[in-house]
Amino acid sequence: MRQKAKELLESGEVKVVIGYGQGSAPFKSTPIFIEKPEDAHKLIWNPTCVNNLTVYLRDACRQGKAAIVVKPCDARSIIELIRENQIERDDVVILAMSCPGVLNLDALAEIDLADVKSVEWHQNGIAIKTNAGETIIPSEKAFASKCLSCELAESPIADEKFGEPIERHPIRSKYADIEELEKMLPEERRAYWARQFARCIRCYACRSVCPGCYCKECFTDKPCQLWVLRSTDVESNWFFHFSRAMHTAGRCIACGECERVCPMGIPLMRLNQKMRKEVREMFGEEAGTNPEAPPTLGTFDLKKDPDPCSE
């Protein structure tokens, strides 16, 4: 991957390679933007590469052709950006990595983080090396929740692939987190979400990290709108989160970044997964699977969907 990134920059085929670099500690990585061939060695690939880097792709492609390092799950965001005419397929070189799963930081709760030397994939999960030796954390505990239901053996879109396809054995349903919610009575679900949204501080981290939230001006920032007040009252928070879920319906690829970055630990993916499930059942489609298909909720066929108001 480093060699290919170096070649792309040396040839001038791309202006930048978006990838992962070493973070502030061995158990962290950070997005980096490589513009010089001699810096390609700074790229890394290991279980700490959790960010969905496609959030940077629109801006990068405006400056010229870009290359990007992606996990199979995150590659679906590129498909959505192409479907929605936010980027041209020819403007991006996709460096698709083989990915057994990314690190769930909570799995390190019993490890002295100051003593961590490296984090690597292991056949049974993730290996954490410290001065005291090596600790193997099993897959069901080591990997992020989304990885436990991942069915992608390889990237659905790619120009270059690195690593062998992964033989997937999901150990939980992708909709496992919403099964309990669906069993609740409507008033119980309302009370559940009211408790969650009461904790929201409206920092908008969920919006900033989402590849699908690219509006120049979000509806919540418009001075004339009256639905979402500046104060973080429950009703305004409620309206913001449910409106955002509606705006990303049929487009959310379930990368889980919104929930990962939420400083208040609000389970936003339960909301998004519910919308994904509804879209799948209603339209038979999942976001991020076909770059040639029109956006799921971006088309209207009068023959298939007659106007009920005309009757």
Side-chain angles (χ1 to χ4, degrees), residues 191-226:
Y192 171 84
W193 284 114
R195 290 195 300 274
Q196 303 302 325
F197 297 146
R199 297 187 289 124
C200 178
I201 58 175
R202 208 98 60 71
C203 64
Y204 297 123
C206 53
R207 183 179 69 182
S208 299
V209 79
C210 178
C213 276
Y214 48 69
C215 292
K216 290 182 178 178
E217 184 180 25
C218 179
F219 77 98
T220 61
D221 295 331
K222 294 182 181 296
C224 59
Q225 63 87 19
L226 301 175

PDB file of all heavy atoms in Angstrom, residues 191-226:
ATOM      1  N   ALA A 191     -40.067   7.165  25.556  1.00  0.00           N
ATOM      2  CA  ALA A 191     -39.376   7.466  26.816  1.00  0.00           C
ATOM      3  C   ALA A 191     -37.884   7.137  26.697  1.00  0.00           C
ATOM      4  O   ALA A 191     -37.027   7.876  27.224  1.00  0.00           O
ATOM      5  CB  ALA A 191     -40.002   6.668  27.954  1.00  0.00           C
ATOM      6  N   TYR A 192     -37.572   6.050  25.985  1.00  0.00           N
ATOM      7  CA  TYR A 192     -36.166   5.662  25.802  1.00  0.00           C
ATOM      8  C   TYR A 192     -35.399   6.755  25.066  1.00  0.00           C
ATOM      9  O   TYR A 192     -34.324   7.187  25.504  1.00  0.00           O
ATOM     10  CB  TYR A 192     -36.096   4.345  25.023  1.00  0.00           C
ATOM     11  CG  TYR A 192     -34.703   3.963  24.606  1.00  0.00           C
ATOM     12  CD1 TYR A 192     -33.849   3.292  25.483  1.00  0.00           C
ATOM     13  CD2 TYR A 192     -34.228   4.286  23.334  1.00  0.00           C
ATOM     14  CE1 TYR A 192     -32.563   2.958  25.099  1.00  0.00           C
ATOM     15  CE2 TYR A 192     -32.950   3.949  22.936  1.00  0.00           C
ATOM     16  CZ  TYR A 192     -32.117   3.288  23.822  1.00  0.00           C
ATOM     17  OH  TYR A 192     -30.843   2.967  23.440  1.00  0.00           O
ATOM     18  N   TRP A 193     -35.965   7.202  23.939  1.00  0.00           N
ATOM     19  CA  TRP A 193     -35.245   8.213  23.162  1.00  0.00           C
ATOM     20  C   TRP A 193     -35.231   9.566  23.865  1.00  0.00           C
ATOM     21  O   TRP A 193     -34.277  10.337  23.721  1.00  0.00           O
ATOM     22  CB  TRP A 193     -35.849   8.329  21.761  1.00  0.00           C
ATOM     23  CG  TRP A 193     -35.447   7.187  20.880  1.00  0.00           C
ATOM     24  CD1 TRP A 193     -36.244   6.219  20.370  1.00  0.00           C
ATOM     25  CD2 TRP A 193     -34.118   6.861  20.460  1.00  0.00           C
ATOM     26  NE1 TRP A 193     -35.509   5.314  19.647  1.00  0.00           N
ATOM     27  CE2 TRP A 193     -34.205   5.690  19.679  1.00  0.00           C
ATOM     28  CE3 TRP A 193     -32.866   7.446  20.663  1.00  0.00           C
ATOM     29  CZ2 TRP A 193     -33.074   5.091  19.103  1.00  0.00           C
ATOM     30  CZ3 TRP A 193     -31.738   6.853  20.089  1.00  0.00           C
ATOM     31  CH2 TRP A 193     -31.863   5.698  19.321  1.00  0.00           C
ATOM     32  N   ALA A 194     -36.264   9.864  24.633  1.00  0.00           N
ATOM     33  CA  ALA A 194     -36.264  11.119  25.401  1.00  0.00           C
ATOM     34  C   ALA A 194     -35.103  11.125  26.400  1.00  0.00           C
ATOM     35  O   ALA A 194     -34.438  12.154  26.587  1.00  0.00           O
ATOM     36  CB  ALA A 194     -37.596  11.286  26.133  1.00  0.00           C
ATOM     37  N   ARG A 195     -34.848   9.968  27.019  1.00  0.00           N
ATOM     38  CA  ARG A 195     -33.710   9.880  27.958  1.00  0.00           C
ATOM     39  C   ARG A 195     -32.386  10.076  27.213  1.00  0.00           C
ATOM     40  O   ARG A 195     -31.464  10.724  27.719  1.00  0.00           O
ATOM     41  CB  ARG A 195     -33.717   8.525  28.666  1.00  0.00           C
ATOM     42  CG  ARG A 195     -34.840   8.331  29.663  1.00  0.00           C
ATOM     43  CD  ARG A 195     -34.555   7.127  30.567  1.00  0.00           C
ATOM     44  NE  ARG A 195     -34.427   5.876  29.812  1.00  0.00           N
ATOM     45  CZ  ARG A 195     -35.449   5.102  29.476  1.00  0.00           C
ATOM     46  NH1 ARG A 195     -36.680   5.448  29.837  1.00  0.00           N
ATOM     47  NH2 ARG A 195     -35.256   3.970  28.818  1.00  0.00           N
ATOM     48  N   GLN A 196     -32.293   9.502  26.026  1.00  0.00           N
ATOM     49  CA  GLN A 196     -31.043   9.639  25.271  1.00  0.00           C
ATOM     50  C   GLN A 196     -30.807  11.082  24.831  1.00  0.00           C
ATOM     51  O   GLN A 196     -29.726  11.639  25.007  1.00  0.00           O
ATOM     52  CB  GLN A 196     -31.071   8.723  24.032  1.00  0.00           C
ATOM     53  CG  GLN A 196     -31.300   7.251  24.334  1.00  0.00           C
ATOM     54  CD  GLN A 196     -30.257   6.668  25.275  1.00  0.00           C
ATOM     55  OE1 GLN A 196     -29.086   7.042  25.231  1.00  0.00           O
ATOM     56  NE2 GLN A 196     -30.676   5.775  26.154  1.00  0.00           N
ATOM     57  N   PHE A 197     -31.821  11.700  24.260  1.00  0.00           N
ATOM     58  CA  PHE A 197     -31.664  13.042  23.710  1.00  0.00           C
ATOM     59  C   PHE A 197     -31.551  14.107  24.804  1.00  0.00           C
ATOM     60  O   PHE A 197     -31.060  15.213  24.551  1.00  0.00           O
ATOM     61  CB  PHE A 197     -32.817  13.369  22.772  1.00  0.00           C
ATOM     62  CG  PHE A 197     -32.868  12.469  21.570  1.00  0.00           C
ATOM     63  CD1 PHE A 197     -34.076  12.089  21.011  1.00  0.00           C
ATOM     64  CD2 PHE A 197     -31.693  11.981  21.004  1.00  0.00           C
ATOM     65  CE1 PHE A 197     -34.112  11.247  19.907  1.00  0.00           C
ATOM     66  CE2 PHE A 197     -31.725  11.139  19.906  1.00  0.00           C
ATOM     67  CZ  PHE A 197     -32.935  10.767  19.361  1.00  0.00           C
ATOM     68  N   ALA A 198     -31.972  13.774  26.008  1.00  0.00           N
ATOM     69  CA  ALA A 198     -31.807  14.708  27.128  1.00  0.00           C
ATOM     70  C   ALA A 198     -30.321  14.902  27.442  1.00  0.00           C
ATOM     71  O   ALA A 198     -29.926  15.915  28.030  1.00  0.00           O
ATOM     72  CB  ALA A 198     -32.545  14.190  28.358  1.00  0.00           C
ATOM     73  N   ARG A 199     -29.489  13.946  27.011  1.00  0.00           N
ATOM     74  CA  ARG A 199     -28.041  14.036  27.294  1.00  0.00           C
ATOM     75  C   ARG A 199     -27.269  14.732  26.192  1.00  0.00           C
ATOM     76  O   ARG A 199     -26.091  15.043  26.347  1.00  0.00           O
ATOM     77  CB  ARG A 199     -27.474  12.619  27.490  1.00  0.00           C
ATOM     78  CG  ARG A 199     -28.074  11.889  28.686  1.00  0.00           C
ATOM     79  CD  ARG A 199     -27.374  10.568  28.947  1.00  0.00           C
ATOM     80  NE  ARG A 199     -27.657   9.570  27.938  1.00  0.00           N
ATOM     81  CZ  ARG A 199     -26.738   8.927  27.222  1.00  0.00           C
ATOM     82  NH1 ARG A 199     -25.463   9.214  27.400  1.00  0.00           N
ATOM     83  NH2 ARG A 199     -27.083   8.010  26.344  1.00  0.00           N
ATOM     84  N   CYS A 200     -27.908  14.980  25.049  1.00  0.00           N
ATOM     85  CA  CYS A 200     -27.204  15.573  23.902  1.00  0.00           C
ATOM     86  C   CYS A 200     -26.809  17.023  24.193  1.00  0.00           C
ATOM     87  O   CYS A 200     -27.626  17.821  24.649  1.00  0.00           O
ATOM     88  CB  CYS A 200     -28.101  15.511  22.664  1.00  0.00           C
ATOM     89  SG  CYS A 200     -27.362  16.267  21.200  1.00  0.00           S
ATOM     90  N   ILE A 201     -25.558  17.350  23.926  1.00  0.00           N
ATOM     91  CA  ILE A 201     -25.067  18.719  24.131  1.00  0.00           C
ATOM     92  C   ILE A 201     -25.006  19.468  22.790  1.00  0.00           C
ATOM     93  O   ILE A 201     -24.494  20.570  22.726  1.00  0.00           O
ATOM     94  CB  ILE A 201     -23.684  18.714  24.806  1.00  0.00           C
ATOM     95  CG1 ILE A 201     -22.670  17.922  23.967  1.00  0.00           C
ATOM     96  CG2 ILE A 201     -23.788  18.143  26.217  1.00  0.00           C
ATOM     97  CD1 ILE A 201     -21.249  17.975  24.507  1.00  0.00           C
ATOM     98  N   ARG A 202     -25.491  18.839  21.718  1.00  0.00           N
ATOM     99  CA  ARG A 202     -25.541  19.430  20.372  1.00  0.00           C
ATOM    100  C   ARG A 202     -24.171  19.969  19.950  1.00  0.00           C
ATOM    101  O   ARG A 202     -24.034  21.089  19.473  1.00  0.00           O
ATOM    102  CB  ARG A 202     -26.575  20.532  20.313  1.00  0.00           C
ATOM    103  CG  ARG A 202     -27.178  20.738  18.933  1.00  0.00           C
ATOM    104  CD  ARG A 202     -28.507  20.032  18.781  1.00  0.00           C
ATOM    105  NE  ARG A 202     -29.482  20.504  19.728  1.00  0.00           N
ATOM    106  CZ  ARG A 202     -30.052  21.700  19.671  1.00  0.00           C
ATOM    107  NH1 ARG A 202     -29.746  22.530  18.717  1.00  0.00           N
ATOM    108  NH2 ARG A 202     -30.947  22.025  20.576  1.00  0.00           N
ATOM    109  N   CYS A 203     -23.156  19.163  20.104  1.00  0.00           N
ATOM    110  CA  CYS A 203     -21.807  19.543  19.659  1.00  0.00           C
ATOM    111  C   CYS A 203     -21.663  19.341  18.155  1.00  0.00           C
ATOM    112  O   CYS A 203     -20.702  19.815  17.546  1.00  0.00           O
ATOM    113  CB  CYS A 203     -20.754  18.715  20.395  1.00  0.00           C
ATOM    114  SG  CYS A 203     -20.832  16.931  20.049  1.00  0.00           S
ATOM    115  N   TYR A 204     -22.587  18.585  17.564  1.00  0.00           N
ATOM    116  CA  TYR A 204     -22.624  18.300  16.130  1.00  0.00           C
ATOM    117  C   TYR A 204     -21.444  17.448  15.651  1.00  0.00           C
ATOM    118  O   TYR A 204     -21.119  17.443  14.458  1.00  0.00           O
ATOM    119  CB  TYR A 204     -22.698  19.580  15.308  1.00  0.00           C
ATOM    120  CG  TYR A 204     -23.961  20.379  15.548  1.00  0.00           C
ATOM    121  CD1 TYR A 204     -23.897  21.702  15.961  1.00  0.00           C
ATOM    122  CD2 TYR A 204     -25.210  19.794  15.371  1.00  0.00           C
ATOM    123  CE1 TYR A 204     -25.060  22.434  16.195  1.00  0.00           C
ATOM    124  CE2 TYR A 204     -26.380  20.512  15.609  1.00  0.00           C
ATOM    125  CZ  TYR A 204     -26.298  21.831  16.014  1.00  0.00           C
ATOM    126  OH  TYR A 204     -27.450  22.548  16.247  1.00  0.00           O
ATOM    127  N   ALA A 205     -20.793  16.760  16.572  1.00  0.00           N
ATOM    128  CA  ALA A 205     -19.720  15.847  16.157  1.00  0.00           C
ATOM    129  C   ALA A 205     -20.265  14.763  15.245  1.00  0.00           C
ATOM    130  O   ALA A 205     -19.618  14.361  14.273  1.00  0.00           O
ATOM    131  CB  ALA A 205     -19.055  15.219  17.381  1.00  0.00           C
ATOM    132  N   CYS A 206     -21.489  14.299  15.524  1.00  0.00           N
ATOM    133  CA  CYS A 206     -22.109  13.257  14.696  1.00  0.00           C
ATOM    134  C   CYS A 206     -22.286  13.744  13.267  1.00  0.00           C
ATOM    135  O   CYS A 206     -22.097  12.989  12.309  1.00  0.00           O
ATOM    136  CB  CYS A 206     -23.452  12.838  15.295  1.00  0.00           C
ATOM    137  SG  CYS A 206     -24.600  14.201  15.608  1.00  0.00           S
ATOM    138  N   ARG A 207     -22.642  14.998  13.115  1.00  0.00           N
ATOM    139  CA  ARG A 207     -22.849  15.579  11.790  1.00  0.00           C
ATOM    140  C   ARG A 207     -21.511  15.801  11.072  1.00  0.00           C
ATOM    141  O   ARG A 207     -21.372  15.526   9.879  1.00  0.00           O
ATOM    142  CB  ARG A 207     -23.588  16.912  11.935  1.00  0.00           C
ATOM    143  CG  ARG A 207     -23.938  17.583  10.650  1.00  0.00           C
ATOM    144  CD  ARG A 207     -24.679  18.892  10.909  1.00  0.00           C
ATOM    145  NE  ARG A 207     -23.820  19.918  11.497  1.00  0.00           N
ATOM    146  CZ  ARG A 207     -24.245  21.132  11.853  1.00  0.00           C
ATOM    147  NH1 ARG A 207     -25.528  21.437  11.717  1.00  0.00           N
ATOM    148  NH2 ARG A 207     -23.423  22.013  12.370  1.00  0.00           N
ATOM    149  N   SER A 208     -20.524  16.265  11.811  1.00  0.00           N
ATOM    150  CA  SER A 208     -19.231  16.590  11.201  1.00  0.00           C
ATOM    151  C   SER A 208     -18.490  15.364  10.679  1.00  0.00           C
ATOM    152  O   SER A 208     -17.750  15.455   9.699  1.00  0.00           O
ATOM    153  CB  SER A 208     -18.345  17.321  12.217  1.00  0.00           C
ATOM    154  OG  SER A 208     -18.944  18.532  12.618  1.00  0.00           O
ATOM    155  N   VAL A 209     -18.685  14.233  11.331  1.00  0.00           N
ATOM    156  CA  VAL A 209     -17.919  13.038  10.978  1.00  0.00           C
ATOM    157  C   VAL A 209     -18.628  12.192   9.919  1.00  0.00           C
ATOM    158  O   VAL A 209     -18.046  11.223   9.410  1.00  0.00           O
ATOM    159  CB  VAL A 209     -17.653  12.205  12.255  1.00  0.00           C
ATOM    160  CG1 VAL A 209     -18.890  11.391  12.641  1.00  0.00           C
ATOM    161  CG2 VAL A 209     -16.440  11.323  12.110  1.00  0.00           C
ATOM    162  N   CYS A 210     -19.839  12.565   9.563  1.00  0.00           N
ATOM    163  CA  CYS A 210     -20.640  11.757   8.646  1.00  0.00           C
ATOM    164  C   CYS A 210     -20.332  12.095   7.190  1.00  0.00           C
ATOM    165  O   CYS A 210     -20.492  13.244   6.767  1.00  0.00           O
ATOM    166  CB  CYS A 210     -22.123  11.993   8.915  1.00  0.00           C
ATOM    167  SG  CYS A 210     -23.215  11.088   7.780  1.00  0.00           S
ATOM    168  N   PRO A 211     -19.912  11.116   6.369  1.00  0.00           N
ATOM    169  CA  PRO A 211     -19.647  11.385   4.943  1.00  0.00           C
ATOM    170  C   PRO A 211     -20.900  11.811   4.190  1.00  0.00           C
ATOM    171  O   PRO A 211     -20.818  12.440   3.140  1.00  0.00           O
ATOM    172  CB  PRO A 211     -19.131  10.039   4.423  1.00  0.00           C
ATOM    173  CG  PRO A 211     -18.650   9.309   5.627  1.00  0.00           C
ATOM    174  CD  PRO A 211     -19.556   9.731   6.735  1.00  0.00           C
ATOM    175  N   GLY A 212     -22.070  11.465   4.725  1.00  0.00           N
ATOM    176  CA  GLY A 212     -23.316  11.804   4.049  1.00  0.00           C
ATOM    177  C   GLY A 212     -23.867  13.165   4.420  1.00  0.00           C
ATOM    178  O   GLY A 212     -24.818  13.645   3.802  1.00  0.00           O
ATOM    179  N   CYS A 213     -23.284  13.816   5.433  1.00  0.00           N
ATOM    180  CA  CYS A 213     -23.727  15.151   5.853  1.00  0.00           C
ATOM    181  C   CYS A 213     -22.803  16.180   5.207  1.00  0.00           C
ATOM    182  O   CYS A 213     -21.832  16.626   5.825  1.00  0.00           O
ATOM    183  CB  CYS A 213     -23.705  15.285   7.376  1.00  0.00           C
ATOM    184  SG  CYS A 213     -25.167  14.653   8.183  1.00  0.00           S
ATOM    185  N   TYR A 214     -23.109  16.553   3.970  1.00  0.00           N
ATOM    186  CA  TYR A 214     -22.205  17.458   3.258  1.00  0.00           C
ATOM    187  C   TYR A 214     -22.884  18.751   2.822  1.00  0.00           C
ATOM    188  O   TYR A 214     -22.333  19.490   2.008  1.00  0.00           O
ATOM    189  CB  TYR A 214     -21.602  16.747   2.042  1.00  0.00           C
ATOM    190  CG  TYR A 214     -22.596  16.024   1.170  1.00  0.00           C
ATOM    191  CD1 TYR A 214     -23.522  16.729   0.401  1.00  0.00           C
ATOM    192  CD2 TYR A 214     -22.618  14.644   1.118  1.00  0.00           C
ATOM    193  CE1 TYR A 214     -24.435  16.075  -0.391  1.00  0.00           C
ATOM    194  CE2 TYR A 214     -23.534  13.967   0.318  1.00  0.00           C
ATOM    195  CZ  TYR A 214     -24.442  14.690  -0.435  1.00  0.00           C
ATOM    196  OH  TYR A 214     -25.353  14.044  -1.216  1.00  0.00           O
ATOM    197  N   CYS A 215     -24.072  19.019   3.314  1.00  0.00           N
ATOM    198  CA  CYS A 215     -24.741  20.271   2.941  1.00  0.00           C
ATOM    199  C   CYS A 215     -23.874  21.467   3.349  1.00  0.00           C
ATOM    200  O   CYS A 215     -23.273  21.465   4.430  1.00  0.00           O
ATOM    201  CB  CYS A 215     -26.098  20.380   3.625  1.00  0.00           C
ATOM    202  SG  CYS A 215     -27.310  19.181   3.036  1.00  0.00           S
ATOM    203  N   LYS A 216     -23.834  22.483   2.478  1.00  0.00           N
ATOM    204  CA  LYS A 216     -23.067  23.681   2.805  1.00  0.00           C
ATOM    205  C   LYS A 216     -23.621  24.339   4.059  1.00  0.00           C
ATOM    206  O   LYS A 216     -22.874  24.894   4.865  1.00  0.00           O
ATOM    207  CB  LYS A 216     -23.101  24.658   1.628  1.00  0.00           C
ATOM    208  CG  LYS A 216     -22.307  24.188   0.419  1.00  0.00           C
ATOM    209  CD  LYS A 216     -22.343  25.231  -0.686  1.00  0.00           C
ATOM    210  CE  LYS A 216     -21.511  24.777  -1.868  1.00  0.00           C
ATOM    211  NZ  LYS A 216     -21.572  25.759  -2.989  1.00  0.00           N
ATOM    212  N   GLU A 217     -24.915  24.320   4.184  1.00  0.00           N
ATOM    213  CA  GLU A 217     -25.552  24.878   5.370  1.00  0.00           C
ATOM    214  C   GLU A 217     -26.613  23.897   5.846  1.00  0.00           C
ATOM    215  O   GLU A 217     -27.595  23.654   5.145  1.00  0.00           O
ATOM    216  CB  GLU A 217     -26.182  26.236   5.083  1.00  0.00           C
ATOM    217  CG  GLU A 217     -26.779  26.896   6.316  1.00  0.00           C
ATOM    218  CD  GLU A 217     -27.403  28.244   6.015  1.00  0.00           C
ATOM    219  OE1 GLU A 217     -27.800  28.474   4.850  1.00  0.00           O
ATOM    220  OE2 GLU A 217     -27.489  29.069   6.947  1.00  0.00           O
ATOM    221  N   CYS A 218     -26.405  23.368   7.020  1.00  0.00           N
ATOM    222  CA  CYS A 218     -27.361  22.418   7.595  1.00  0.00           C
ATOM    223  C   CYS A 218     -28.655  23.168   7.925  1.00  0.00           C
ATOM    224  O   CYS A 218     -28.633  24.349   8.292  1.00  0.00           O
ATOM    225  CB  CYS A 218     -26.780  21.793   8.854  1.00  0.00           C
ATOM    226  SG  CYS A 218     -27.901  20.614   9.682  1.00  0.00           S
ATOM    227  N   PHE A 219     -29.763  22.462   7.807  1.00  0.00           N
ATOM    228  CA  PHE A 219     -31.046  23.120   8.088  1.00  0.00           C
ATOM    229  C   PHE A 219     -31.105  23.659   9.520  1.00  0.00           C
ATOM    230  O   PHE A 219     -31.794  24.643   9.793  1.00  0.00           O
ATOM    231  CB  PHE A 219     -32.208  22.145   7.838  1.00  0.00           C
ATOM    232  CG  PHE A 219     -32.406  21.125   8.929  1.00  0.00           C
ATOM    233  CD1 PHE A 219     -33.368  21.326   9.910  1.00  0.00           C
ATOM    234  CD2 PHE A 219     -31.637  19.981   8.983  1.00  0.00           C
ATOM    235  CE1 PHE A 219     -33.558  20.391  10.927  1.00  0.00           C
ATOM    236  CE2 PHE A 219     -31.813  19.056   9.988  1.00  0.00           C
ATOM    237  CZ  PHE A 219     -32.771  19.257  10.964  1.00  0.00           C
ATOM    238  N   THR A 220     -30.345  23.051  10.416  1.00  0.00           N
ATOM    239  CA  THR A 220     -30.373  23.521  11.812  1.00  0.00           C
ATOM    240  C   THR A 220     -29.619  24.829  11.993  1.00  0.00           C
ATOM    241  O   THR A 220     -29.777  25.498  13.015  1.00  0.00           O
ATOM    242  CB  THR A 220     -29.754  22.469  12.743  1.00  0.00           C
ATOM    243  OG1 THR A 220     -28.386  22.259  12.359  1.00  0.00           O
ATOM    244  CG2 THR A 220     -30.497  21.158  12.668  1.00  0.00           C
ATOM    245  N   ASP A 221     -28.780  25.188  11.018  1.00  0.00           N
ATOM    246  CA  ASP A 221     -28.000  26.428  11.133  1.00  0.00           C
ATOM    247  C   ASP A 221     -28.685  27.619  10.471  1.00  0.00           C
ATOM    248  O   ASP A 221     -28.195  28.744  10.566  1.00  0.00           O
ATOM    249  CB  ASP A 221     -26.609  26.230  10.505  1.00  0.00           C
ATOM    250  CG  ASP A 221     -25.789  25.206  11.261  1.00  0.00           C
ATOM    251  OD1 ASP A 221     -26.005  25.065  12.482  1.00  0.00           O
ATOM    252  OD2 ASP A 221     -24.952  24.534  10.637  1.00  0.00           O
ATOM    253  N   LYS A 222     -29.767  27.373   9.768  1.00  0.00           N
ATOM    254  CA  LYS A 222     -30.459  28.475   9.103  1.00  0.00           C
ATOM    255  C   LYS A 222     -31.118  29.385  10.150  1.00  0.00           C
ATOM    256  O   LYS A 222     -31.848  28.901  11.027  1.00  0.00           O
ATOM    257  CB  LYS A 222     -31.518  27.928   8.140  1.00  0.00           C
ATOM    258  CG  LYS A 222     -30.938  27.154   6.971  1.00  0.00           C
ATOM    259  CD  LYS A 222     -32.035  26.686   6.035  1.00  0.00           C
ATOM    260  CE  LYS A 222     -31.453  25.887   4.874  1.00  0.00           C
ATOM    261  NZ  LYS A 222     -30.568  26.693   4.024  1.00  0.00           N
ATOM    262  N   PRO A 223     -30.876  30.675  10.068  1.00  0.00           N
ATOM    263  CA  PRO A 223     -31.390  31.581  11.100  1.00  0.00           C
ATOM    264  C   PRO A 223     -32.910  31.661  11.128  1.00  0.00           C
ATOM    265  O   PRO A 223     -33.488  31.985  12.171  1.00  0.00           O
ATOM    266  CB  PRO A 223     -30.773  32.932  10.709  1.00  0.00           C
ATOM    267  CG  PRO A 223     -30.437  32.813   9.268  1.00  0.00           C
ATOM    268  CD  PRO A 223     -30.067  31.381   9.048  1.00  0.00           C
ATOM    269  N   CYS A 224     -33.555  31.340  10.002  1.00  0.00           N
ATOM    270  CA  CYS A 224     -35.010  31.491   9.951  1.00  0.00           C
ATOM    271  C   CYS A 224     -35.765  30.257  10.430  1.00  0.00           C
ATOM    272  O   CYS A 224     -36.979  30.296  10.585  1.00  0.00           O
ATOM    273  CB  CYS A 224     -35.440  31.831   8.528  1.00  0.00           C
ATOM    274  SG  CYS A 224     -34.944  30.578   7.328  1.00  0.00           S
ATOM    275  N   GLN A 225     -35.052  29.141  10.623  1.00  0.00           N
ATOM    276  CA  GLN A 225     -35.767  27.929  11.010  1.00  0.00           C
ATOM    277  C   GLN A 225     -36.189  27.992  12.483  1.00  0.00           C
ATOM    278  O   GLN A 225     -35.515  28.572  13.321  1.00  0.00           O
ATOM    279  CB  GLN A 225     -34.886  26.694  10.736  1.00  0.00           C
ATOM    280  CG  GLN A 225     -33.601  26.606  11.524  1.00  0.00           C
ATOM    281  CD  GLN A 225     -33.759  25.927  12.876  1.00  0.00           C
ATOM    282  OE1 GLN A 225     -34.727  25.214  13.093  1.00  0.00           O
ATOM    283  NE2 GLN A 225     -32.813  26.165  13.767  1.00  0.00           N
ATOM    284  N   LEU A 226     -37.304  27.373  12.774  1.00  0.00           N
ATOM    285  CA  LEU A 226     -37.887  27.471  14.114  1.00  0.00           C
ATOM    286  C   LEU A 226     -37.990  26.112  14.806  1.00  0.00           C
ATOM    287  O   LEU A 226     -38.557  26.019  15.889  1.00  0.00           O
ATOM    288  CB  LEU A 226     -39.295  28.088  14.022  1.00  0.00           C
ATOM    289  CG  LEU A 226     -39.375  29.474  13.392  1.00  0.00           C
ATOM    290  CD1 LEU A 226     -40.830  29.893  13.250  1.00  0.00           C
ATOM    291  CD2 LEU A 226     -38.608  30.489  14.225  1.00  0.00           C
TER     292      LEU A 226
END
